[in-house]
Amino acid sequence: MSLFLCLAYLFFIGSVFGWVLEVFFRKFFSSSNPEHKWINPGFCVGPYVPLYGTGLCILYLLAALGERSGLGASAAGKLLLFAAMAVSMTGIEYLAGLALLKWAKLRLWDYTGCRGNIQGLICPLFSFFWAVLGAVYYFLVHPHVLSALDWLSHNLAFSFVIGYFFGVFTLDVAYSAHLAARIKRFAEENNVVVRYEALKAHIQSARSEARQRIHFFFALHSELPLAEHLRSAADALETIKHRF
């Protein structure tokens, strides 16, 4: 089975399970959601977070490289491998966050309350969590990933599902980019950065309970114009103090 198909499958699995993880994190633990509402996380509309899909691909490649190079044979080698995983995941997180800040004036997460943070995009605490997640992946998940890839090699018809996922995902990215472009115009006119999750929570609070269920995935869909929500969502706007 080709490496491309393996990575496509891992991106699919990681994106979906990462979305589930983020949904529960934002519901029960996130300080940016003090009312503990169910909020669809991430940049896209559908049930997937591409950052986690990319991360799973990176973790798989690093774990495979560690096994081939013999790093996994010693405790010191494993620690070095987990450090490489943490650095890689932190790098992906920083580049994704910075791209959204520069291009769309959007902030999807905010670590400004954490010590040692850089632009609120990365911080030592969450880099440590990435290292822990890398260790959990290596010991508990990677063997099952290998089994899943072996299953896929014997059930290549499932690649149709992967292709369908990427078709929907591509349309979703185009739709989400269109929304981001509208938000960017408002942000540039008012010299602000928009906190995406806070904006979603603001729009959600303006709906009835029934309509909240209907629009869980289309969190920015509303009877009112998006620009009107942006003007009234004071908690979602962050004044630009410097250029990113």
Side-chain angles (χ1 to χ4, degrees), residues 45-100:
V45 171
Y48 32 75
V49 177
L51 178 67
Y52 283 88
T54 304
L56 182 59
C57 292
I58 295 296
L59 293 180
Y60 166 76
L61 291 173
L62 286 175
L65 180 62
E67 290 177 345
R68 290 185 180 181
S69 64
L71 278 177
S74 65
K78 288 185 175 68
L79 289 176
L80 182 61
L81 183 60
F82 302 152
M85 290 177 173
V87 170
S88 299
M89 293 300 296
T90 300
I92 293 171
E93 188 176 34
Y94 180 74
L95 291 176
L98 185 62
L100 285 169

Side-chain angles (χ1 to χ4, degrees), residues 197-225:
E197 302 300 335
L199 177 61
K200 289 180 181 179
H202 173 81
I203 294 176
Q204 187 179 34
S205 65
R207 303 194 195 108
S208 65
E209 184 70 22
R211 297 194 70 81
Q212 285 181 17
R213 297 194 189 98
I214 294 172
H215 295 303
F216 175 76
F217 287 107
F218 292 89
L220 298 185
H221 180 75
S222 173
E223 294 76 10
L224 297 176

Side-chain angles (χ1 to χ4, degrees), residues 1-145:
M1 186 172 57
S2 70
L3 178 61
F4 174 79
L5 183 57
C6 289
L7 295 180
Y9 179 57
L10 292 176
F11 183 87
F12 162 60
I13 296 297
S15 296
V16 173
F17 278 91
W19 178 85
V20 173
L21 178 64
E22 286 289 328
V23 165
F24 282 95
F25 176 80
R26 278 163 169 71
K27 169 66 175 177
F28 297 107
F29 304 107
S30 177
S31 59
S32 63
N33 183 21
E35 297 181 8
H36 298 290
K37 295 179 180 179
W38 291 104
I39 296 177
N40 182 19
F43 176 74
C44 296
V45 171
Y48 32 75
V49 177
L51 178 67
Y52 283 88
T54 304
L56 182 59
C57 292
I58 295 296
L59 293 180
Y60 166 76
L61 291 173
L62 286 175
L65 180 62
E67 290 177 345
R68 290 185 180 181
S69 64
L71 278 177
S74 65
K78 288 185 175 68
L79 289 176
L80 182 61
L81 183 60
F82 302 152
M85 290 177 173
V87 170
S88 299
M89 293 300 296
T90 300
I92 293 171
E93 188 176 34
Y94 180 74
L95 291 176
L98 185 62
L100 285 169
L101 276 175
K102 289 177 69 71
W103 174 74
K105 301 298 184 289
L106 282 176
R107 185 183 290 278
L108 265 66
W109 58 86
D110 188 4
Y111 300 151
T112 53
C114 300
R115 288 186 177 181
N117 76 86
I118 299 176
Q119 297 173 252
L121 299 174
I122 56 174
C123 68
L125 177 61
F126 277 82
S127 293
F128 170 75
F129 289 155
W130 285 126
V132 172
L133 183 63
V136 170
Y137 168 81
Y138 185 82
F139 290 115
L140 301 180
V141 180
H142 188 63
H144 298 289
V145 166

Side-chain angles (χ1 to χ4, degrees), residues 99-195:
L100 285 169
L101 276 175
K102 289 177 69 71
W103 174 74
K105 301 298 184 289
L106 282 176
R107 185 183 290 278
L108 265 66
W109 58 86
D110 188 4
Y111 300 151
T112 53
C114 300
R115 288 186 177 181
N117 76 86
I118 299 176
Q119 297 173 252
L121 299 174
I122 56 174
C123 68
L125 177 61
F126 277 82
S127 293
F128 170 75
F129 289 155
W130 285 126
V132 172
L133 183 63
V136 170
Y137 168 81
Y138 185 82
F139 290 115
L140 301 180
V141 180
H142 188 63
H144 298 289
V145 166
L146 296 178
S147 298
L149 291 176
D150 180 66
W151 175 87
L152 180 63
S153 68
H154 292 89
N155 297 271
L156 289 178
F158 188 77
S159 60
F160 171 80
V161 176
I162 301 174
Y164 180 79
F165 163 80
F166 277 97
V168 173
F169 175 70
T170 301
L171 293 175
D172 192 335
V173 170
Y175 172 78
S176 300
H178 172 69
L179 289 177
R182 294 169 60 189
I183 295 173
K184 178 185 179 182
R185 285 196 296 270
F186 175 88
E188 289 179 337
E189 290 171 0
N190 294 272
N191 200 39
V192 296
V193 166
V194 177
R195 299 177 186 272

